[in-house]
Amino acid sequence: MISLVIPCYNEEETVEIFYREVNRIWETGVCPEELEFVYIDDGSRDGTLQILRRLSEQDPRVHYVSFSRNFGKEAALYAGLQHAHGDFVATMDVDLQDPPSLLPEMYRTVTQEDYDCVATYRETRKGEPVIRSLFAKCFYRIINRISQTEIVDGARDYRFMSRKMVDAILADGEYNRFSKGIYSWVGFRTKWLSYENIERSAGTSKWSFWKLFKYSVEGILAYSTVPLSVVSILGIFFCLVAFVALCVVVGRALIFGDPVAGWPSLVSIIVFLGGIQLLCLGIVGLYISKIYLETKKRQIYIVRESR
Ligand code: UDP
Ligand code: MG
């Protein structure tokens, strides 16, 4: 059986379109495997849940897990993987930006070739705001420089995985979840497929710029400690500069008897160093906050209703 894990947040317009499209493909008999739909309602405030209830009453293959509030897509994916029973699991968006027509090919790759996972990436960011693509490019460049775990540029959350890989991902019970990193961290043999960026079938994107920005910081904190090393290196650098400056000032006073004048320069240096110190403290603080949240062992999501 293949389980489809589908996170939905305010997706009343797309849930049913998705369901019909997948069924249309399956009815042609391209894939012998049974299907199971695992919809995750990530605290939607519109009619998503009602539609899911109705679908699951009509069709026993449709299951859903509804959260008590919006916990974010990462939590939804985790819940979906936990509730999926299939021998294979595919995670995909409900807006048909992840074409279900690729599923049979993914299935063949995993069963017939020696792969555990088929992942996808977008070739282009066509149809996306320019600033957003620019920031995304920067993010991938930075994180791949400073992290040992490879995060592929343009990688989508559309994946087809074997049971082995899903279990490995579930065993990683981190609270601060960044799937793109976890997938890569657990390893396994992954084949990459690419496809063109497709417009949403209906509705609007649920990711604001600010949400994406926080998500990227999350990724860097979770998969790299290089910012902490940068902080230490900055500290050493400024100590050296201070030492050299001190020697110059003392030397000049001894040789020329000429005390350095000018407090404006002094003030700017102090303010500058104060700024650097606060920045460094902030970076350290971010890591501590992650430790704090991790040690609290809060639930990743809370189920209000499921079926
Ligand atoms: N999503 C979610 N929780 C959120 C935000 C998004 O479950 O807090 C789901 C959403 O319903 C969709 C998928 O994640 O199925 C991708 O979201 P979207 O299409 O809005 O993102 P984009 O394709 O614009 O990156
Ligand atoms: Mg989308």
Side-chain angles (χ1 to χ4, degrees):
M1 185 169 69
I2 300 175
S3 302
L4 304 182
V5 167
I6 316 136
C8 314
Y9 177 48
N10 294 342
E11 298 279 8
E12 60 184 1
E13 292 158 87
T14 51
V15 167
E16 213 166 345
I17 303 179
F18 176 87
Y19 174 75
R20 280 204 300 267
E21 175 67 13
V22 173
N23 279 328
R24 193 183 60 76
I25 292 168
W26 239 250
E27 272 157 18
T28 60
V30 282
C31 185
E33 210 76 22
E34 290 274 320
L35 268 190
E36 173 193 52
F37 293 81
V38 184
Y39 284 100
I40 311 296
D41 165 33
D42 187 8
S44 302
R45 264 174 262 216
D46 61 358
T48 306
L49 181 58
Q50 281 80 333
I51 299 175
L52 292 181
R53 282 197 194 117
R54 204 188 67 229
L55 284 180
S56 79
E57 263 162 32
Q58 292 167 355
D59 184 345
R61 300 172 306 159
V62 176
H63 302 278
Y64 65 84
V65 177
S66 177
F67 288 177
S68 59
R69 64 170 170 85
N70 180 237
F71 279 89
K73 189 179 176 186
E74 288 295 332
L77 285 173
Y78 184 65
L81 294 184
Q82 281 188 325
H83 286 82
H85 300 102
D87 311 301
F88 303 96
V89 180
T91 55
M92 53 204 303
D93 290 359
V94 72
D95 54 13
L96 291 181
Q97 279 184 313
D98 301 334
S101 50
L102 286 178
L103 284 170
E105 186 189 337
M106 293 169 138
Y107 170 74
R108 276 194 294 279
T109 305
V110 171
T111 49
Q112 289 165 16
E113 295 168 40
D114 191 19
Y115 285 104
D116 306 287
C117 170
V118 181
T120 57
Y121 67 96
R122 290 188 284 191
E123 271 164 1
T124 57
R125 292 184 169 269
K126 212 170 62 196
E128 206 183 58
V130 182
I131 304 240
R132 200 160 142 169
S133 333
L134 201 76
F135 269 84
K137 281 236 170 66
C138 286
F139 165 70
Y140 284 109
R141 190 161 294 168
I142 292 174
I143 195 158
N144 281 318
R145 268 277 158 78
I146 66 178
S147 168
Q148 312 268 297
T149 309
E150 199 202 350
I151 316 270
V152 175
D153 184 3
R156 308 241 346 141
D157 286 330
Y158 185 18
R159 271 181 186 254
F160 189 96
M161 293 173 277
S162 66
R163 184 41 55 192
K164 254 184 289 174
M165 180 158 176
V166 173
D167 288 341
I169 291 168
L170 287 176
D172 189 4
E174 285 176 283
Y175 177 76
N176 296 289
R177 298 189 79 77
F178 184 72
S179 322
K180 287 185 169 68
I182 298 176
Y183 293 143
S184 165
W185 185 85
V186 295
F188 291 100
R189 294 195 44 147
T190 302
K191 181 173 182 177
W192 287 89
L193 291 182
S194 71
Y195 58 86
E196 288 256 323
N197 204 11
I198 304 166
E199 299 274 321
R200 257 179 168 271
S201 58
T204 53
S205 174
K206 306 299 176 293
W207 289 87
S208 62
F209 185 77
W210 181 234
K211 226 171 159 179
L212 277 175
F213 180 74
K214 284 202 295 195
Y215 186 61
S216 55
V217 172
E218 194 81 15
I220 291 176
L221 292 179
Y223 283 91
S224 173
T225 49
V226 168
L228 291 175
S229 318
V230 171
V231 166
S232 323
I233 291 168
L234 267 182
I236 294 170
F237 173 74
F238 280 108
C239 283
L240 284 178
V241 170
F243 182 72
V244 171
L246 188 76
C247 291
V248 170
V249 170
V250 170
R252 250 169 76 163
L254 286 180
I255 298 167
F256 306 109
D258 162 29
V260 187
W263 67 273
S265 52
L266 204 64
V267 168
S268 10
I269 291 169
I270 291 175
V271 170
F272 174 65
L273 286 184
I276 298 274
Q277 280 172 354
L278 283 182
L279 173 72
C280 294
L281 250 181
I283 294 176
V284 177
L286 281 176
Y287 280 93
I288 295 179
S289 73
K290 292 296 162 199
I291 303 172
Y292 175 61
L293 289 173
E294 208 69 58
T295 51
K296 273 189 176 185
K297 298 229 182 309
R298 271 197 183 139
Q299 300 160 75
I300 295 174
Y301 60 90
I302 296 171
V303 177
R304 181 166 162 268
E305 187 185 322
S306 73
R307 192 187 148 106

